[in-house]
Amino acid sequence: MRSYNYILYFFCLFILSCSRSSDIKISVFPQEEKLVSEHKIFEGVEMRYPFRVRLVDSVVYIMDLHAIENYCHQFRYPSMEYVASFGKRGGAPDELLDSENICIDKLSNCWMLDANKNQIVCFNQDFNRVIKLNKRLIRSLDFDFYNDSAFVVTDYSGTCRYHLVNNQGDIVASGGEIPLDQRDKNIPDAAYAQAWRSFLDYNPNNDVLAIVTQLGEVIELYSLKEGKLIKVIKGKQGEPVFQYADGQAIPNGIMGYSDIFVGEKLVYALFWGHSLEDIKREIVTVEGGYQNHVKDL
């Protein structure tokens, strides 16, 4: 179901387009367009790090990654009048330790992924529903609906790229592999998974799952029903760059993609492109994506 769109793309500065790629190819951008944006100020709630924006009909949901009290806030659109907040931060059974992403279902219920508690929570006006994820799932960092009774979640073990999970939280299928040009046998799967941590989006209408790297410029496209890879698109910044030390992958490349949306014919990916060194040295002081990479299917 795709009744919502990502309004955050309207605030990007650039749209970049590219032509059809082969299965694995370095992408180029023959066309660039510059957009102008308008700032909209809303009152009623304080947010530390607005990170996810979802628009459903005339309601906007904004997820605060570093919430003060609640992880998600509702506003009327386009007035941006405050409506409500939910997803209370805390350690109680009905509270969240964190929130990685939000998804809105056909009934306008908001679903949130709490990686620290390893669970997916549905927030409804009348009830909250908690789906405890299988313990084999190691800190899944993103999710989306697969159908009315299942989800697709990212893998953090390094043995695959995604899992299909039913509404009891059990894994029913897994697929994909990290599309490395070369693999160092001395580096374990878990370290590669850390470096290749990713965001995803799924469109059931065309059965396309897109996965993008947070620390590199790589887009992977899969068919979930066929369980196969469609193509891998590597930009000029390439794969995530990291050093392996003390069992950990220490990134030293770039901040890459931070969101992805699969449309009917196009894929939209929000891209930073800043080096981690420039961010650390405060040469780059404004966080967030400033390019919207647009690619056809």
Side-chain angles (χ1 to χ4, degrees):
M1 188 277 293
R2 277 295 177 273
S3 61
Y4 63 88
N5 208 330
Y6 286 37
I7 67 170
L8 61 87
Y9 293 118
F10 299 150
F11 300 99
C12 300
L13 294 180
F14 296 94
I15 287 183
L16 288 83
S17 301
C18 84
S19 58
R20 188 178 302 273
S21 300
S22 59
D23 287 350
I24 299 181
K25 182 180 180 181
I26 301 298
S27 69
V28 294
F29 295 94
Q31 180 181 351
E32 296 185 10
E33 298 181 20
K34 185 174 182 179
L35 296 181
V36 294
S37 62
E38 176 185 347
H39 289 274
K40 210 159 185 58
I41 299 175
F42 49 87
E43 299 178 355
V45 65
E46 180 182 357
M47 286 182 279
R48 288 179 176 172
Y49 203 111
F51 190 62
R52 289 285 180 258
V53 183
R54 304 288 181 258
L55 173 63
V56 182
D57 298 326
S58 59
V59 178
V60 171
Y61 300 80
I62 302 180
M63 191 197 87
D64 186 3
L65 188 64
H66 303 309
I68 300 170
E69 185 174 1
N70 292 284
Y71 281 102
C72 193
H73 308 279
Q74 247 182 328
F75 300 87
R76 292 187 176 90
Y77 185 79
S79 67
M80 298 307 291
E81 177 186 354
Y82 172 72
V83 177
S85 298
F86 50 89
K88 185 175 177 60
R89 178 181 177 180
D94 59 343
E95 296 175 343
L96 302 176
L97 292 178
D98 83 329
S99 180
E100 304 294 339
N101 200 353
I102 56 175
C103 292
I104 316 300
D105 66 18
K106 297 177 182 178
L107 300 177
S108 296
N109 298 317
C110 182
W111 296 74
M112 304 175 72
L113 171 64
D114 184 341
N116 287 338
K117 282 191 174 182
N118 202 36
Q119 64 186 24
I120 297 174
V121 183
C122 174
F123 291 93
N124 183 285
Q125 291 183 348
D126 301 319
F127 66 92
N128 293 344
R129 179 185 176 189
V130 177
I131 298 177
K132 291 286 187 181
L133 297 177
N134 190 287
K135 293 181 179 181
R136 287 173 51 202
L137 292 168
I138 305 171
R139 192 170 173 76
S140 297
L141 296 177
D142 203 1
F143 81 117
D144 199 359
F145 302 116
Y146 175 57
N147 54 37
D148 292 337
S149 60
F151 304 89
V152 54
V153 301
T154 53
D155 172 76
Y156 207 52
S157 69
T159 58
C160 61
R161 293 299 280 150
Y162 64 86
H163 303 279
L164 297 182
V165 179
N166 63 21
N167 56 13
Q168 282 79 46
D170 295 322
I171 300 171
V172 295
S174 303
E177 61 181 20
I178 297 176
L180 291 162
D181 288 338
Q182 288 186 316
R183 190 182 189 103
D184 188 336
K185 295 182 179 179
N186 296 317
I187 298 178
D189 292 338
Y192 275 114
Q194 291 172 13
W196 282 75
R197 59 182 181 261
S198 302
F199 302 111
L200 61 76
D201 188 65
Y202 177 66
N203 188 333
N205 295 330
N206 53 22
D207 185 42
V208 174
L209 169 70
I211 299 177
V212 292
T213 51
Q214 185 181 17
L215 300 171
E217 192 176 350
V218 182
I219 300 177
E220 302 158 60
L221 302 178
Y222 295 90
S223 167
L224 287 191
K225 292 177 182 177
E226 296 183 16
K228 71 175 186 179
L229 175 70
I230 299 172
K231 70 170 68 172
V232 178
I233 307 167
K234 296 185 179 181
K236 58 185 178 181
Q237 299 284 357
E239 299 179 0
V241 178
F242 67 98
Q243 292 180 332
Y244 177 64
D246 299 325
Q248 301 291 321
I250 304 170
N252 57 7
I254 65 164
M255 281 295 292
Y257 293 107
S258 59
D259 207 357
I260 179 74
F261 173 75
V262 180
E264 299 305 310
K265 296 182 179 180
L266 300 172
V267 175
Y268 306 82
L270 192 64
F271 186 68
W272 292 39
H274 306 309
S275 75
L276 294 174
E277 182 64 23
D278 285 349
I279 295 174
K280 181 179 179 181
R281 295 169 58 192
E282 297 187 347
I283 296 175
V284 175
T285 57
V286 179
E287 295 189 21
Y290 73 103
Q291 296 178 359
N292 185 13
H293 290 187
V294 184
K295 302 175 183 293
D296 65 38
L297 292 175

